[in-house]
Amino acid sequence: MPQRILVIRHGALGDIVQAFGFFAALRGACPQAWITLLTEPAFAPSMRLAPWFDAVAEDRRLPLWGIPPWRLWRQARHLTGLFNQHCLVVDAQQSGRTRLYRRLDGFWRQARGLKALEWPCAERLHHHGRLHTSERQKSHLRCLGVLPVAPTQPLWLFQSVAEPMRSFIHALAKRPFVVLVPGGSAGRLGKRWPAGCFAHVTAQLAQAGWHVALAGTDQERTLVRAITTQAIKRGASPKYLVDCSGRTDLAALALLLHKAHGVVGNDTGTMHLGAALDVPSLTLFFAESDPRRTAPLAPTPGHSRVLSSRQAAQLAPETVLAAFKALLAEVARTH
């Protein structure tokens, strides 16, 4: 393997988390190489703490139209300069944008009479789109001549949790608590279970003695508050409800999940993070996503499960509660 490798991985939180095993395998096969990750600015601070990379570069993924040409030119110069510093590019994204990057790099090098940069597996993996992400990544690793590695928990994420959030989470962990994830992609609302269903589950868990932490982004605060309001009307005591929406960055979210007894929520990046941390996880899938391709995977078999329904409204809260309680009970028995 070359001594300077550039790895490209954009995507949402779930895409980044699912690539952790890929990154670890690549680093294990190239312990002496200088490996740079090219990713989105939102993930760069956390990925700089990861044990697999020597450097992390940011790609703002500018649109190709509707912006001043000078910004596109500056971005192209940034990318070609980055490519020129490496001997090999590992395209872990396999998207139309990264294919455009490969062509851009080829044109730039050809115009200057330079040797073409190697982009292994750039074309041959696109027909694997129906496989689970983990299987596609294993195919990519085999193409690179790299052996997959067993998944491990990304405990390095906790390094940057700031006070007082760290103290808050440790205090919460002294009580039995679970995490609910009622949000998800703002552009794919069909992946979300109705708020009323989450309110029903929240109320039932709180009445059973669980403290319920509802996780979400700044944009999901209204959703979380609506759920807590409905849960209180259904009989939940406010002291058992913890609104974490907009309060946790990636590091704090990881620590919150790690300390929880379990997590249940929509198919979104937070659920992939919980599964990667080996937290008992129940992920809800509906028509807009396929668990055969993107189901969260945990290091311990059985710690991550899915419930699937074509229509979100057809999945009864009692079904989710029963499946979640069964998961928690089985994990408790095995430990």
Side-chain angles (χ1 to χ4, degrees):
M1 297 287 283
Q3 292 306 300
R4 295 190 68 89
I5 303 171
L6 177 66
V7 182
I8 304 177
R9 185 60 177 175
H10 300 132
L13 174 60
D15 299 319
I16 294 291
V17 172
Q18 289 182 93
F20 284 175
F22 184 92
F23 299 151
L26 188 61
R27 169 51 77 189
C30 312
Q32 303 302 320
W34 179 277
I35 302 181
T36 301
L37 174 68
L38 179 63
T39 190
E40 294 185 50
F43 304 118
S46 295
M47 297 312 294
R48 290 189 176 101
L49 300 175
W52 312 304
F53 306 112
D54 301 286
V56 175
E58 299 181 10
D59 181 4
R60 299 184 182 279
R61 294 206 292 173
L62 296 177
L64 301 180
W65 51 84
I67 65 171
W70 63 266
R71 291 192 66 190
L72 280 177
W73 172 250
R74 188 168 65 180
Q75 176 72 354
R77 288 288 302 272
H78 165 68
L79 290 173
T80 53
L82 187 64
F83 296 148
N84 195 41
Q85 297 170 17
H86 296 83
C87 307
L88 179 144
V89 178
V90 176
D91 181 5
Q93 187 66 28
Q94 296 285 322
S95 67
R97 176 175 287 270
T98 56
R99 289 196 293 274
L100 177 62
Y101 287 178
R102 180 166 57 89
R103 295 189 182 98
L104 172 67
D105 178 66
F107 292 149
W108 183 86
R109 287 177 171 271
Q110 185 177 18
R112 286 159 178 77
L114 300 175
K115 179 182 177 181
L117 181 62
E118 187 176 0
W119 291 61
C121 319
E123 294 291 351
R124 68 184 70 175
L125 295 173
H126 297 303
H127 67 282
H128 290 167
R130 295 183 180 180
L131 297 176
H132 190 276
T133 299
S134 63
E135 295 303 316
R136 288 190 283 118
Q137 289 177 348
K138 289 176 183 177
S139 295
H140 197 167
L141 290 172
R142 286 194 294 269
C143 173
L144 295 168
V146 174
L147 294 176
V149 297
T152 58
Q153 298 183 45
L155 303 182
W156 48 268
L157 276 169
F158 309 153
Q159 297 177 35
S160 61
V161 180
E163 295 289 352
M165 181 54 67
R166 183 182 292 273
S167 297
F168 166 77
I169 294 173
H170 282 290
L172 180 61
K174 294 178 180 178
R175 298 165 284 179
F177 85 98
V178 296
V179 176
L180 264 62
V181 185
S185 172
R188 301 179 66 184
L189 298 181
K191 295 177 67 175
R192 297 189 183 188
W193 204 33
C197 296
F198 272 109
H200 181 91
V201 170
T202 300
Q204 291 295 313
L205 289 171
Q207 290 170 3
W210 291 97
H211 288 77
V212 182
L214 292 106
T217 64
D218 280 329
Q219 293 74 25
E220 292 164 353
R221 283 183 171 179
T222 301
L223 170 64
V224 169
R225 288 170 182 168
I227 292 171
T228 56
T229 299
Q230 291 184 48
I232 292 171
K233 291 180 179 179
R234 294 171 184 262
S237 172
K239 69 178 183 180
Y240 286 96
L241 308 181
V242 183
D243 183 351
C244 295
S245 59
R247 302 177 61 186
T248 54
D249 57 11
L250 180 56
L253 178 62
L255 183 60
L256 178 72
L257 293 167
H258 181 63
K259 294 295 184 180
H261 285 74
V263 55
V264 57
N266 301 317
D267 171 31
T268 189
T270 302
M271 298 305 297
H272 286 279
L273 182 60
L277 289 163
D278 219 22
V279 182
S281 307
L282 180 66
T283 307
L284 312 180
F285 279 83
F286 307 112
E288 287 198 19
S289 53
D290 187 351
R292 293 172 297 182
R293 295 180 56 191
T294 60
L297 299 179
T300 303
H303 275 210
S304 181
R305 300 180 184 177
V306 303
L307 275 180
S308 183
S309 173
R310 293 296 299 172
Q311 298 294 327
Q314 293 177 355
L315 183 60
E318 292 77 11
T319 302
V320 174
L321 269 170
F324 190 46
K325 290 179 179 178
L327 171 62
L328 295 178
E330 183 171 333
V331 171
R333 283 196 305 270
T334 56
H335 284 73

mmCIF file of all heavy atoms in Angstrom, residues 118-159:
data_model
loop_
_atom_site.group_PDB
_atom_site.id
_atom_site.type_symbol
_atom_site.label_atom_id
_atom_site.label_comp_id
_atom_site.label_asym_id
_atom_site.label_seq_id
_atom_site.Cartn_x
_atom_site.Cartn_y
_atom_site.Cartn_z
ATOM 1 N N GLU A 118 -4.055 6.986 -8.447
ATOM 2 C CA GLU A 118 -4.787 5.719 -8.375
ATOM 3 C C GLU A 118 -6.038 5.880 -7.511
ATOM 4 O O GLU A 118 -5.966 6.329 -6.368
ATOM 5 C CB GLU A 118 -3.899 4.619 -7.797
ATOM 6 C CG GLU A 118 -4.535 3.245 -7.857
ATOM 7 C CD GLU A 118 -3.594 2.150 -7.371
ATOM 8 O OE1 GLU A 118 -2.451 2.476 -6.991
ATOM 9 O OE2 GLU A 118 -4.015 0.986 -7.367
ATOM 10 N N TRP A 119 -7.190 5.514 -8.074
ATOM 11 C CA TRP A 119 -8.468 5.461 -7.357
ATOM 12 C C TRP A 119 -8.974 4.021 -7.450
ATOM 13 O O TRP A 119 -9.851 3.710 -8.260
ATOM 14 C CB TRP A 119 -9.499 6.397 -7.994
ATOM 15 C CG TRP A 119 -9.229 7.858 -7.854
ATOM 16 C CD1 TRP A 119 -8.151 8.549 -8.309
ATOM 17 C CD2 TRP A 119 -10.081 8.819 -7.230
ATOM 18 N NE1 TRP A 119 -8.263 9.872 -8.011
ATOM 19 C CE2 TRP A 119 -9.438 10.082 -7.352
ATOM 20 C CE3 TRP A 119 -11.315 8.748 -6.588
ATOM 21 C CZ2 TRP A 119 -10.013 11.252 -6.846
ATOM 22 C CZ3 TRP A 119 -11.871 9.919 -6.087
ATOM 23 C CH2 TRP A 119 -11.231 11.151 -6.222
ATOM 24 N N PRO A 120 -8.461 3.092 -6.667
ATOM 25 C CA PRO A 120 -8.861 1.689 -6.814
ATOM 26 C C PRO A 120 -10.337 1.487 -6.489
ATOM 27 O O PRO A 120 -10.909 2.187 -5.649
ATOM 28 C CB PRO A 120 -7.974 0.960 -5.803
ATOM 29 C CG PRO A 120 -7.617 1.996 -4.800
ATOM 30 C CD PRO A 120 -7.524 3.282 -5.560
ATOM 31 N N CYS A 121 -10.950 0.541 -7.171
ATOM 32 C CA CYS A 121 -12.353 0.155 -6.946
ATOM 33 C C CYS A 121 -13.332 1.263 -7.284
ATOM 34 O O CYS A 121 -14.479 1.236 -6.846
ATOM 35 C CB CYS A 121 -12.588 -0.286 -5.506
ATOM 36 S SG CYS A 121 -11.309 -1.310 -4.801
ATOM 37 N N ALA A 122 -12.895 2.270 -8.049
ATOM 38 C CA ALA A 122 -13.749 3.428 -8.283
ATOM 39 C C ALA A 122 -15.014 3.088 -9.065
ATOM 40 O O ALA A 122 -16.034 3.739 -8.912
ATOM 41 C CB ALA A 122 -12.964 4.516 -9.027
ATOM 42 N N GLU A 123 -14.970 2.062 -9.919
ATOM 43 C CA GLU A 123 -16.120 1.750 -10.752
ATOM 44 C C GLU A 123 -16.773 0.411 -10.423
ATOM 45 O O GLU A 123 -17.965 0.245 -10.580
ATOM 46 C CB GLU A 123 -15.706 1.744 -12.235
ATOM 47 C CG GLU A 123 -15.282 3.096 -12.768
ATOM 48 C CD GLU A 123 -16.444 4.066 -12.874
ATOM 49 O OE1 GLU A 123 -17.591 3.653 -12.698
ATOM 50 O OE2 GLU A 123 -16.192 5.260 -13.115
ATOM 51 N N ARG A 124 -15.998 -0.533 -9.946
ATOM 52 C CA ARG A 124 -16.512 -1.905 -9.897
ATOM 53 C C ARG A 124 -17.461 -2.194 -8.752
ATOM 54 O O ARG A 124 -18.028 -3.278 -8.682
ATOM 55 C CB ARG A 124 -15.340 -2.883 -9.825
ATOM 56 C CG ARG A 124 -14.555 -2.834 -8.520
ATOM 57 C CD ARG A 124 -13.366 -3.753 -8.538
ATOM 58 N NE ARG A 124 -12.337 -3.273 -9.442
ATOM 59 C CZ ARG A 124 -11.147 -3.852 -9.577
ATOM 60 N NH1 ARG A 124 -10.862 -4.925 -8.886
ATOM 61 N NH2 ARG A 124 -10.256 -3.359 -10.416
ATOM 62 N N LEU A 125 -17.651 -1.248 -7.813
ATOM 63 C CA LEU A 125 -18.475 -1.534 -6.649
ATOM 64 C C LEU A 125 -19.896 -0.993 -6.749
ATOM 65 O O LEU A 125 -20.702 -1.242 -5.862
ATOM 66 C CB LEU A 125 -17.811 -0.954 -5.389
ATOM 67 C CG LEU A 125 -16.465 -1.576 -5.007
ATOM 68 C CD1 LEU A 125 -15.856 -0.809 -3.859
ATOM 69 C CD2 LEU A 125 -16.629 -3.038 -4.633
ATOM 70 N N HIS A 126 -20.239 -0.287 -7.807
ATOM 71 C CA HIS A 126 -21.561 0.335 -7.871
ATOM 72 C C HIS A 126 -22.684 -0.692 -7.966
ATOM 73 O O HIS A 126 -23.800 -0.430 -7.531
ATOM 74 C CB HIS A 126 -21.627 1.302 -9.057
ATOM 75 C CG HIS A 126 -20.660 2.442 -8.938
ATOM 76 N ND1 HIS A 126 -20.653 3.290 -7.859
ATOM 77 C CD2 HIS A 126 -19.649 2.860 -9.748
ATOM 78 C CE1 HIS A 126 -19.700 4.190 -8.024
ATOM 79 N NE2 HIS A 126 -19.072 3.946 -9.146
ATOM 80 N N HIS A 127 -22.425 -1.876 -8.483
ATOM 81 C CA HIS A 127 -23.496 -2.878 -8.614
ATOM 82 C C HIS A 127 -23.805 -3.548 -7.289
ATOM 83 O O HIS A 127 -24.698 -4.382 -7.210
ATOM 84 C CB HIS A 127 -23.086 -3.942 -9.635
ATOM 85 C CG HIS A 127 -21.934 -4.789 -9.197
ATOM 86 N ND1 HIS A 127 -20.629 -4.343 -9.243
ATOM 87 C CD2 HIS A 127 -21.885 -6.042 -8.686
ATOM 88 C CE1 HIS A 127 -19.820 -5.284 -8.802
ATOM 89 N NE2 HIS A 127 -20.549 -6.323 -8.443
ATOM 90 N N HIS A 128 -23.091 -3.185 -6.209
ATOM 91 C CA HIS A 128 -23.337 -3.777 -4.905
ATOM 92 C C HIS A 128 -24.347 -2.983 -4.089
ATOM 93 O O HIS A 128 -24.459 -3.183 -2.883
ATOM 94 C CB HIS A 128 -22.020 -3.859 -4.114
ATOM 95 C CG HIS A 128 -21.067 -4.863 -4.664
ATOM 96 N ND1 HIS A 128 -19.750 -4.920 -4.284
ATOM 97 C CD2 HIS A 128 -21.235 -5.857 -5.568
ATOM 98 C CE1 HIS A 128 -19.129 -5.902 -4.929
ATOM 99 N NE2 HIS A 128 -20.018 -6.477 -5.717
ATOM 100 N N GLY A 129 -25.088 -2.091 -4.726
ATOM 101 C CA GLY A 129 -25.972 -1.191 -4.005
ATOM 102 C C GLY A 129 -27.080 -1.868 -3.228
ATOM 103 O O GLY A 129 -27.632 -1.283 -2.302
ATOM 104 N N ARG A 130 -27.461 -3.106 -3.570
ATOM 105 C CA ARG A 130 -28.545 -3.776 -2.869
ATOM 106 C C ARG A 130 -28.070 -4.519 -1.623
ATOM 107 O O ARG A 130 -28.887 -5.034 -0.867
ATOM 108 C CB ARG A 130 -29.246 -4.751 -3.817
ATOM 109 C CG ARG A 130 -29.956 -4.061 -4.979
ATOM 110 C CD ARG A 130 -30.695 -5.048 -5.848
ATOM 111 N NE ARG A 130 -31.379 -4.382 -6.957
ATOM 112 C CZ ARG A 130 -32.105 -5.011 -7.868
ATOM 113 N NH1 ARG A 130 -32.232 -6.337 -7.810
ATOM 114 N NH2 ARG A 130 -32.706 -4.336 -8.829
ATOM 115 N N LEU A 131 -26.792 -4.623 -1.420
ATOM 116 C CA LEU A 131 -26.267 -5.298 -0.247
ATOM 117 C C LEU A 131 -26.318 -4.385 0.965
ATOM 118 O O LEU A 131 -26.415 -3.164 0.843
ATOM 119 C CB LEU A 131 -24.818 -5.731 -0.490
ATOM 120 C CG LEU A 131 -24.564 -6.748 -1.601
ATOM 121 C CD1 LEU A 131 -23.064 -6.973 -1.754
ATOM 122 C CD2 LEU A 131 -25.271 -8.061 -1.315
ATOM 123 N N HIS A 132 -26.237 -4.995 2.142
ATOM 124 C CA HIS A 132 -26.100 -4.193 3.355
ATOM 125 C C HIS A 132 -24.787 -3.421 3.293
ATOM 126 O O HIS A 132 -23.806 -3.882 2.708
ATOM 127 C CB HIS A 132 -26.129 -5.082 4.593
ATOM 128 C CG HIS A 132 -26.239 -4.303 5.874
ATOM 129 N ND1 HIS A 132 -25.137 -3.756 6.508
ATOM 130 C CD2 HIS A 132 -27.325 -3.951 6.624
ATOM 131 C CE1 HIS A 132 -25.538 -3.108 7.586
ATOM 132 N NE2 HIS A 132 -26.852 -3.212 7.684
ATOM 133 N N THR A 133 -24.782 -2.257 3.903
ATOM 134 C CA THR A 133 -23.596 -1.403 3.869
ATOM 135 C C THR A 133 -22.355 -2.141 4.338
ATOM 136 O O THR A 133 -21.267 -1.991 3.765
ATOM 137 C CB THR A 133 -23.818 -0.163 4.755
ATOM 138 O OG1 THR A 133 -24.933 0.573 4.230
ATOM 139 C CG2 THR A 133 -22.589 0.722 4.774
ATOM 140 N N SER A 134 -22.483 -2.968 5.361
ATOM 141 C CA SER A 134 -21.319 -3.697 5.879
ATOM 142 C C SER A 134 -20.755 -4.657 4.841
ATOM 143 O O SER A 134 -19.532 -4.829 4.740
ATOM 144 C CB SER A 134 -21.697 -4.459 7.149
ATOM 145 O OG SER A 134 -22.679 -5.451 6.878
ATOM 146 N N GLU A 135 -21.621 -5.288 4.058
ATOM 147 C CA GLU A 135 -21.156 -6.217 3.019
ATOM 148 C C GLU A 135 -20.484 -5.472 1.870
ATOM 149 O O GLU A 135 -19.488 -5.934 1.308
ATOM 150 C CB GLU A 135 -22.329 -7.058 2.497
ATOM 151 C CG GLU A 135 -22.928 -7.988 3.539
ATOM 152 C CD GLU A 135 -21.883 -8.925 4.116
ATOM 153 O OE1 GLU A 135 -21.068 -9.476 3.340
ATOM 154 O OE2 GLU A 135 -21.868 -9.115 5.347
ATOM 155 N N ARG A 136 -21.026 -4.301 1.507
ATOM 156 C CA ARG A 136 -20.390 -3.504 0.463
ATOM 157 C C ARG A 136 -19.013 -3.033 0.908
ATOM 158 O O ARG A 136 -18.063 -2.999 0.117
ATOM 159 C CB ARG A 136 -21.283 -2.308 0.103
ATOM 160 C CG ARG A 136 -22.531 -2.713 -0.682
ATOM 161 C CD ARG A 136 -23.270 -1.528 -1.228
ATOM 162 N NE ARG A 136 -24.041 -0.856 -0.197
ATOM 163 C CZ ARG A 136 -23.855 0.391 0.205
ATOM 164 N NH1 ARG A 136 -22.912 1.120 -0.334
ATOM 165 N NH2 ARG A 136 -24.612 0.922 1.140
ATOM 166 N N GLN A 137 -18.899 -2.697 2.174
ATOM 167 C CA GLN A 137 -17.596 -2.266 2.677
ATOM 168 C C GLN A 137 -16.598 -3.419 2.696
ATOM 169 O O GLN A 137 -15.411 -3.221 2.412
ATOM 170 C CB GLN A 137 -17.761 -1.669 4.071
ATOM 171 C CG GLN A 137 -18.471 -0.329 4.058
ATOM 172 C CD GLN A 137 -18.704 0.223 5.442
ATOM 173 O OE1 GLN A 137 -18.548 -0.477 6.437
ATOM 174 N NE2 GLN A 137 -19.091 1.482 5.524
ATOM 175 N N LYS A 138 -17.065 -4.612 3.020
ATOM 176 C CA LYS A 138 -16.169 -5.772 2.982
ATOM 177 C C LYS A 138 -15.691 -6.035 1.551
ATOM 178 O O LYS A 138 -14.519 -6.386 1.335
ATOM 179 C CB LYS A 138 -16.879 -7.001 3.537
ATOM 180 C CG LYS A 138 -17.100 -6.960 5.040
ATOM 181 C CD LYS A 138 -17.895 -8.161 5.523
ATOM 182 C CE LYS A 138 -18.166 -8.083 7.019
ATOM 183 N NZ LYS A 138 -18.991 -9.210 7.499
ATOM 184 N N SER A 139 -16.581 -5.877 0.573
ATOM 185 C CA SER A 139 -16.180 -6.032 -0.826
ATOM 186 C C SER A 139 -15.134 -4.993 -1.198
ATOM 187 O O SER A 139 -14.165 -5.288 -1.913
ATOM 188 C CB SER A 139 -17.403 -5.902 -1.741
ATOM 189 O OG SER A 139 -18.323 -6.945 -1.520
ATOM 190 N N HIS A 140 -15.320 -3.776 -0.722
ATOM 191 C CA HIS A 140 -14.362 -2.714 -1.003
ATOM 192 C C HIS A 140 -13.003 -3.046 -0.385
ATOM 193 O O HIS A 140 -11.958 -2.880 -1.022
ATOM 194 C CB HIS A 140 -14.901 -1.399 -0.439
ATOM 195 C CG HIS A 140 -14.244 -0.181 -0.998
ATOM 196 N ND1 HIS A 140 -14.739 1.076 -0.831
ATOM 197 C CD2 HIS A 140 -13.098 -0.023 -1.731
ATOM 198 C CE1 HIS A 140 -13.952 1.959 -1.430
ATOM 199 N NE2 HIS A 140 -12.944 1.308 -1.972
ATOM 200 N N LEU A 141 -13.019 -3.538 0.849
ATOM 201 C CA LEU A 141 -11.763 -3.900 1.507
ATOM 202 C C LEU A 141 -11.059 -5.027 0.768
ATOM 203 O O LEU A 141 -9.829 -5.009 0.595
ATOM 204 C CB LEU A 141 -12.034 -4.303 2.964
ATOM 205 C CG LEU A 141 -12.451 -3.165 3.907
ATOM 206 C CD1 LEU A 141 -12.877 -3.723 5.259
ATOM 207 C CD2 LEU A 141 -11.312 -2.167 4.085
ATOM 208 N N ARG A 142 -11.826 -6.033 0.323
ATOM 209 C CA ARG A 142 -11.216 -7.130 -0.429
ATOM 210 C C ARG A 142 -10.589 -6.622 -1.718
ATOM 211 O O ARG A 142 -9.532 -7.091 -2.137
ATOM 212 C CB ARG A 142 -12.262 -8.213 -0.717
ATOM 213 C CG ARG A 142 -12.638 -9.049 0.491
ATOM 214 C CD ARG A 142 -13.408 -10.291 0.088
ATOM 215 N NE ARG A 142 -14.704 -9.962 -0.484
ATOM 216 C CZ ARG A 142 -15.825 -9.862 0.233
ATOM 217 N NH1 ARG A 142 -15.802 -10.057 1.550
ATOM 218 N NH2 ARG A 142 -16.974 -9.568 -0.341
ATOM 219 N N CYS A 143 -11.258 -5.650 -2.341
ATOM 220 C CA CYS A 143 -10.717 -5.058 -3.561
ATOM 221 C C CYS A 143 -9.378 -4.368 -3.293
ATOM 222 O O CYS A 143 -8.479 -4.380 -4.138
ATOM 223 C CB CYS A 143 -11.730 -4.058 -4.117
ATOM 224 S SG CYS A 143 -11.168 -3.083 -5.514
ATOM 225 N N LEU A 144 -9.245 -3.819 -2.089
ATOM 226 C CA LEU A 144 -7.998 -3.156 -1.708
ATOM 227 C C LEU A 144 -6.951 -4.127 -1.169
ATOM 228 O O LEU A 144 -5.820 -3.720 -0.885
ATOM 229 C CB LEU A 144 -8.282 -2.097 -0.638
ATOM 230 C CG LEU A 144 -9.148 -0.897 -1.050
ATOM 231 C CD1 LEU A 144 -9.578 -0.107 0.172
ATOM 232 C CD2 LEU A 144 -8.389 -0.002 -2.026
ATOM 233 N N GLY A 145 -7.354 -5.392 -0.992
ATOM 234 C CA GLY A 145 -6.435 -6.360 -0.403
ATOM 235 C C GLY A 145 -6.331 -6.230 1.102
ATOM 236 O O GLY A 145 -5.303 -6.592 1.700
ATOM 237 N N VAL A 146 -7.404 -5.744 1.734
ATOM 238 C CA VAL A 146 -7.421 -5.511 3.184
ATOM 239 C C VAL A 146 -8.445 -6.434 3.823
ATOM 240 O O VAL A 146 -9.552 -6.597 3.311
ATOM 241 C CB VAL A 146 -7.776 -4.043 3.491
ATOM 242 C CG1 VAL A 146 -7.938 -3.822 4.989
ATOM 243 C CG2 VAL A 146 -6.713 -3.112 2.915
ATOM 244 N N LEU A 147 -8.094 -7.033 4.949
ATOM 245 C CA LEU A 147 -8.997 -7.921 5.670
ATOM 246 C C LEU A 147 -9.894 -7.110 6.606
ATOM 247 O O LEU A 147 -9.425 -6.195 7.295
ATOM 248 C CB LEU A 147 -8.207 -8.943 6.488
ATOM 249 C CG LEU A 147 -7.390 -9.965 5.695
ATOM 250 C CD1 LEU A 147 -6.595 -10.849 6.662
ATOM 251 C CD2 LEU A 147 -8.295 -10.817 4.822
ATOM 252 N N PRO A 148 -11.193 -7.432 6.668
ATOM 253 C CA PRO A 148 -12.076 -6.756 7.633
ATOM 254 C C PRO A 148 -11.632 -7.064 9.066
ATOM 255 O O PRO A 148 -10.956 -8.064 9.325
ATOM 256 C CB PRO A 148 -13.450 -7.369 7.342
ATOM 257 C CG PRO A 148 -13.341 -7.958 5.968
ATOM 258 C CD PRO A 148 -11.918 -8.397 5.810
ATOM 259 N N VAL A 149 -12.031 -6.205 9.989
ATOM 260 C CA VAL A 149 -11.725 -6.401 11.404
ATOM 261 C C VAL A 149 -13.026 -6.455 12.196
ATOM 262 O O VAL A 149 -14.057 -5.953 11.749
ATOM 263 C CB VAL A 149 -10.824 -5.277 11.948
ATOM 264 C CG1 VAL A 149 -9.486 -5.271 11.234
ATOM 265 C CG2 VAL A 149 -11.507 -3.917 11.819
ATOM 266 N N ALA A 150 -12.969 -7.080 13.367
ATOM 267 C CA ALA A 150 -14.145 -7.149 14.226
ATOM 268 C C ALA A 150 -14.494 -5.752 14.737
ATOM 269 O O ALA A 150 -13.602 -4.975 15.085
ATOM 270 C CB ALA A 150 -13.882 -8.088 15.398
ATOM 271 N N PRO A 151 -15.776 -5.405 14.782
ATOM 272 C CA PRO A 151 -16.160 -4.060 15.240
ATOM 273 C C PRO A 151 -15.853 -3.864 16.719
ATOM 274 O O PRO A 151 -15.953 -4.790 17.525
ATOM 275 C CB PRO A 151 -17.670 -4.017 14.983
ATOM 276 C CG PRO A 151 -18.102 -5.456 14.977
ATOM 277 C CD PRO A 151 -16.940 -6.225 14.419
ATOM 278 N N THR A 152 -15.461 -2.660 17.061
ATOM 279 C CA THR A 152 -15.211 -2.283 18.452
ATOM 280 C C THR A 152 -15.953 -0.989 18.760
ATOM 281 O O THR A 152 -16.265 -0.210 17.855
ATOM 282 C CB THR A 152 -13.708 -2.087 18.726
ATOM 283 O OG1 THR A 152 -13.205 -1.072 17.832
ATOM 284 C CG2 THR A 152 -12.939 -3.379 18.510
ATOM 285 N N GLN A 153 -16.229 -0.760 20.026
ATOM 286 C CA GLN A 153 -16.952 0.436 20.410
ATOM 287 C C GLN A 153 -16.070 1.686 20.258
ATOM 288 O O GLN A 153 -14.919 1.666 20.696
ATOM 289 C CB GLN A 153 -17.415 0.327 21.861
ATOM 290 C CG GLN A 153 -18.376 -0.812 22.121
ATOM 291 C CD GLN A 153 -18.851 -0.830 23.560
ATOM 292 O OE1 GLN A 153 -19.200 0.212 24.118
ATOM 293 N NE2 GLN A 153 -18.857 -1.998 24.170
ATOM 294 N N PRO A 154 -16.599 2.752 19.684
ATOM 295 C CA PRO A 154 -15.810 3.993 19.491
ATOM 296 C C PRO A 154 -15.761 4.832 20.765
ATOM 297 O O PRO A 154 -16.265 5.963 20.817
ATOM 298 C CB PRO A 154 -16.566 4.694 18.362
ATOM 299 C CG PRO A 154 -17.987 4.273 18.561
ATOM 300 C CD PRO A 154 -17.925 2.845 19.052
ATOM 301 N N LEU A 155 -15.124 4.303 21.796
ATOM 302 C CA LEU A 155 -15.090 4.999 23.085
ATOM 303 C C LEU A 155 -14.264 6.280 23.032
ATOM 304 O O LEU A 155 -14.375 7.118 23.925
ATOM 305 C CB LEU A 155 -14.542 4.052 24.156
ATOM 306 C CG LEU A 155 -15.310 2.726 24.327
ATOM 307 C CD1 LEU A 155 -14.692 1.903 25.444
ATOM 308 C CD2 LEU A 155 -16.790 2.989 24.620
ATOM 309 N N TRP A 156 -13.440 6.427 22.002
ATOM 310 C CA TRP A 156 -12.641 7.645 21.854
ATOM 311 C C TRP A 156 -13.517 8.882 21.657
ATOM 312 O O TRP A 156 -13.059 10.022 21.874
ATOM 313 C CB TRP A 156 -11.681 7.506 20.676
ATOM 314 C CG TRP A 156 -12.330 6.987 19.432
ATOM 315 C CD1 TRP A 156 -12.421 5.682 19.038
ATOM 316 C CD2 TRP A 156 -13.016 7.745 18.427
ATOM 317 N NE1 TRP A 156 -13.108 5.574 17.837
ATOM 318 C CE2 TRP A 156 -13.484 6.833 17.448
ATOM 319 C CE3 TRP A 156 -13.258 9.109 18.258
ATOM 320 C CZ2 TRP A 156 -14.188 7.236 16.321
ATOM 321 C CZ3 TRP A 156 -13.971 9.519 17.124
ATOM 322 C CH2 TRP A 156 -14.423 8.582 16.177
ATOM 323 N N LEU A 157 -14.771 8.694 21.285
ATOM 324 C CA LEU A 157 -15.664 9.832 21.071
ATOM 325 C C LEU A 157 -15.882 10.639 22.349
ATOM 326 O O LEU A 157 -16.177 11.836 22.297
ATOM 327 C CB LEU A 157 -17.013 9.340 20.548
ATOM 328 C CG LEU A 157 -17.136 9.094 19.046
ATOM 329 C CD1 LEU A 157 -18.426 8.355 18.730
ATOM 330 C CD2 LEU A 157 -17.077 10.400 18.279
ATOM 331 N N PHE A 158 -15.735 10.001 23.520
ATOM 332 C CA PHE A 158 -16.061 10.683 24.767
ATOM 333 C C PHE A 158 -15.001 11.694 25.190
ATOM 334 O O PHE A 158 -15.215 12.445 26.130
ATOM 335 C CB PHE A 158 -16.216 9.668 25.913
ATOM 336 C CG PHE A 158 -17.138 8.523 25.605
ATOM 337 C CD1 PHE A 158 -16.969 7.304 26.239
ATOM 338 C CD2 PHE A 158 -18.165 8.649 24.690
ATOM 339 C CE1 PHE A 158 -17.802 6.253 25.979
ATOM 340 C CE2 PHE A 158 -19.008 7.591 24.406
ATOM 341 C CZ PHE A 158 -18.837 6.388 25.060
ATOM 342 N N GLN A 159 -13.856 11.694 24.529
ATOM 343 C CA GLN A 159 -12.745 12.528 24.989
ATOM 344 C C GLN A 159 -13.089 14.013 25.060
ATOM 345 O O GLN A 159 -12.574 14.734 25.912
ATOM 346 C CB GLN A 159 -11.532 12.349 24.068
ATOM 347 C CG GLN A 159 -10.955 10.948 24.044
ATOM 348 C CD GLN A 159 -9.814 10.845 23.052
ATOM 349 O OE1 GLN A 159 -9.043 11.788 22.869
ATOM 350 N NE2 GLN A 159 -9.697 9.713 22.389
#
